[in-house]
Amino acid sequence: MPEKVAFITGITGQDGSYLAELLLEKGYAVHGLIRRTSSFGTARLDHLYHDPHEAPRLRLHYGDVTDPQALTNLVLELAPSEIYNLAAQSHVRVSFDQPAYTLATAGAGALHVLEAARLLAQRQPVRFYQASSSEMFGKAAEQPQRETTPLNPQSPYACAKAFAHHQTINYRRSYGLFAVSGILFNHESPRRGETFVTRKITRAATRIKLGLQPKLYLGNLDAERDWGYAKDYVHAMWQMLQQPTPEDYVIATGETHAIRYFLEQAFGLLDLDWQEFVEVDPRYFRPAEVDRLVGDASKARAAFGWQPTTSLPELVRLMVEHDLDLAERELHNAAFVGK
C-alpha cells in the first residue's frame, strides 16, 4: 500500500506540531510549510528531527499562504492526499492591531490553499481540512454553540476565520471538493504560544514562584471559555478527513470556565494566591469582548466517537509542570551567568 502524504500549513505552531506527530505515528509522510525568517522557528518540531525513525518522513518547505502561485506549485508538486490548513495570525487581540495582515493569512490564505487543493483534485483525490474557530460565534446567539449556530464575529481574526469557513463550504458545494471545517474551541498545551492567556498565566505563575518576576498583568478576567487539550483536538482533525462524507464539526469539551478559574488552578498548584500577584491592565482588553463560549461536540461524538480525554485541571497541571521546569532552568542559567 503506498505511503499516505499529508501537507500542513502552520506546522510549526502548537496544533501543527501535534498533528505532525500524530500523522507520523500513523505512517504518513508529512510535509510542512514554514515561513523564511532570520531565525529558526521550528522548536516544537525539533524532537522529531532527532528521532531517526520519524525524521526521514518529515520535510519542511519554505513558503507562505499569502503567496498563492508558489503555494499552488508546491501543492501540485507534493501531491498530498490530505491538506491541513492551520496557518494564520491567530492572536485575537493582535488582530485588532494588524487587521489586514490577519485577513491576509487567516482569510485570503485559506482561500489560496483551497484553490491549490481544487487544482490538485483535478488530478487525484485529495481531502482538505480548515481550522475554523469558536471565535466566529462571537456574541453567540445560543448556548452552547453547535454547527448550526449563527456566526457573529467580534474581531478581525474572527471575521477572517468566518470568511475562510464559508469559503470551505463554498468549495465543497461548488466543486465537490472533500473539504471540512473543524470549529475548534480553545485548546491549550505546554506548546501554546506565550502571548496567549493560558500560557501567559502558567509561565508567569512559575516565574513568580521562583522570584523571577513580581506581577502578571491581564485583561478581562471574567471572560468564559471552553478549554481542552490540543493533543486531543488534532486527533479530531484527522478523524474528520477519514469520514465517508465531508461535514463540519464542533470540537469542544462542553464545559466553560472563567479566566479567574484558570488563575486559581495554576497558582494553586504552586501554593500561591493569584490575587496577590495579578493586576488588571486595560491595555489587554479587546475593543469588542466575547464574554462566553462553550461548545456542543455531540455531532463529532456520534459520527466518529471523539471525546476529550484530559480535564481542565489535568491540562493546567501539564502546563504548570512544563513551565516550572523552564523557570528552574532560567533561574539556574541566571545564577551561572552571575558567577
Side-chain angles (χ1 to χ4, degrees):
M1 185 175 180
E3 187 175 48
K4 274 194 168 184
V5 177
F7 177 63
I8 305 172
T9 71
I11 194 171
T12 59
Q14 169 189 251
D15 292 4
S17 65
Y18 282 123
L19 180 60
E21 283 180 354
L22 175 67
L23 295 177
L24 288 169
E25 288 172 4
K26 292 185 176 298
Y28 285 67
V30 176
H31 295 267
L33 189 72
I34 62 169
R35 289 173 295 164
R36 179 71 178 92
T37 61
S38 59
S39 59
F40 291 110
T42 58
R44 295 182 178 97
L45 299 170
D46 286 348
H47 64 291
L48 297 175
Y49 280 110
H50 296 135
D51 186 327
H53 177 68
E54 307 291 16
R57 292 185 293 115
L58 175 63
R59 293 282 308 279
L60 301 181
H61 307 267
Y62 286 122
D64 199 300
V65 293
T66 63
D67 184 350
Q69 188 59 61
L71 176 68
T72 297
N73 291 344
L74 180 60
V75 168
L76 294 179
E77 176 190 343
L78 297 176
S81 53
E82 295 176 5
I83 297 174
Y84 297 85
N85 182 44
L86 312 183
Q89 188 301 103
S90 59
H91 196 287
V92 177
R93 180 61 188 84
V94 170
S95 77
F96 285 98
D97 301 323
Q98 295 186 298
Y101 177 66
T102 301
L103 177 60
T105 57
L111 179 61
H112 298 155
V113 185
L114 274 164
E115 183 63 10
R118 183 185 71 83
L119 293 173
L120 178 60
Q122 295 174 354
R123 301 182 181 183
Q124 66 169 64
V126 61
R127 298 187 171 199
F128 172 88
Y129 171 85
Q130 167 61 22
S132 288
S133 168
S134 61
E135 287 289 333
M136 301 187 305
F137 295 123
K139 293 286 188 182
E142 61 181 356
Q143 301 286 345
Q145 296 85 53
R146 49 186 62 86
E147 293 79 7
T148 55
T149 301
L151 306 187
N152 186 20
Q154 294 286 111
S155 66
Y157 169 75
C159 289
K161 282 291 186 180
F163 171 84
H165 180 75
H166 283 301
Q167 287 292 359
T168 302
I169 296 171
N170 180 45
Y171 270 66
R172 183 167 70 221
R173 291 173 177 171
S174 301
Y175 305 115
L177 184 68
F178 193 109
V180 306
S181 285
I183 308 172
L184 272 56
F185 281 64
N186 291 60
H187 46 289
E188 319 299 320
S189 77
R191 298 182 193 176
R192 187 61 142 150
E194 293 186 18
T195 60
F196 291 85
V197 66
T198 53
R199 187 77 195 289
K200 190 175 179 181
I201 289 170
T202 58
R203 192 79 172 92
T206 53
R207 296 187 84 250
I208 288 169
K209 178 68 175 180
L210 298 185
L212 291 168
Q213 81 179 62
K215 292 282 185 179
L216 168 62
Y217 297 91
L218 295 174
N220 180 12
L221 304 186
D222 296 318
E224 295 181 35
R225 293 293 184 268
D226 183 329
W227 281 301
Y229 184 26
K231 202 167 184 178
D232 291 339
Y233 285 45
V234 300
H235 197 266
M237 298 178 188
W238 175 78
Q239 287 178 298
M240 289 179 210
L241 291 195
Q242 313 314 308
Q243 300 310 300
T245 57
E247 295 187 39
D248 304 326
Y249 297 92
V250 161
I251 301 298
T253 69
E255 297 181 5
T256 188
H257 298 280
I259 290 172
R260 292 177 187 274
Y261 177 83
F262 201 101
L263 284 165
E264 290 170 2
Q265 292 291 309
F267 278 78
L269 287 169
L270 300 165
D271 296 319
L272 298 174
D273 180 354
W274 69 270
Q275 296 181 77
E276 295 179 14
F277 304 99
V278 177
E279 293 187 13
V280 173
D281 188 333
R283 291 178 300 172
Y284 295 114
F285 280 79
R286 302 179 187 179
E289 288 285 342
V290 174
D291 300 322
R292 187 176 193 268
L293 292 173
V294 57
D296 176 4
S298 58
K299 180 180 176 182
R301 188 162 53 250
F304 45 85
W306 184 87
Q307 58 184 5
T309 65
T310 307
S311 69
L312 183 55
E314 290 170 333
L315 173 58
V316 177
R317 181 177 293 278
L318 283 174
M319 296 174 68
V320 167
E321 288 176 350
H322 175 272
D323 284 343
L324 185 59
D325 181 63
L326 278 185
E328 287 171 345
R329 279 185 275 164
E330 187 180 352
L331 186 64
H332 173 78
N333 291 339
F336 179 79
V337 171
K339 288 182 179 179

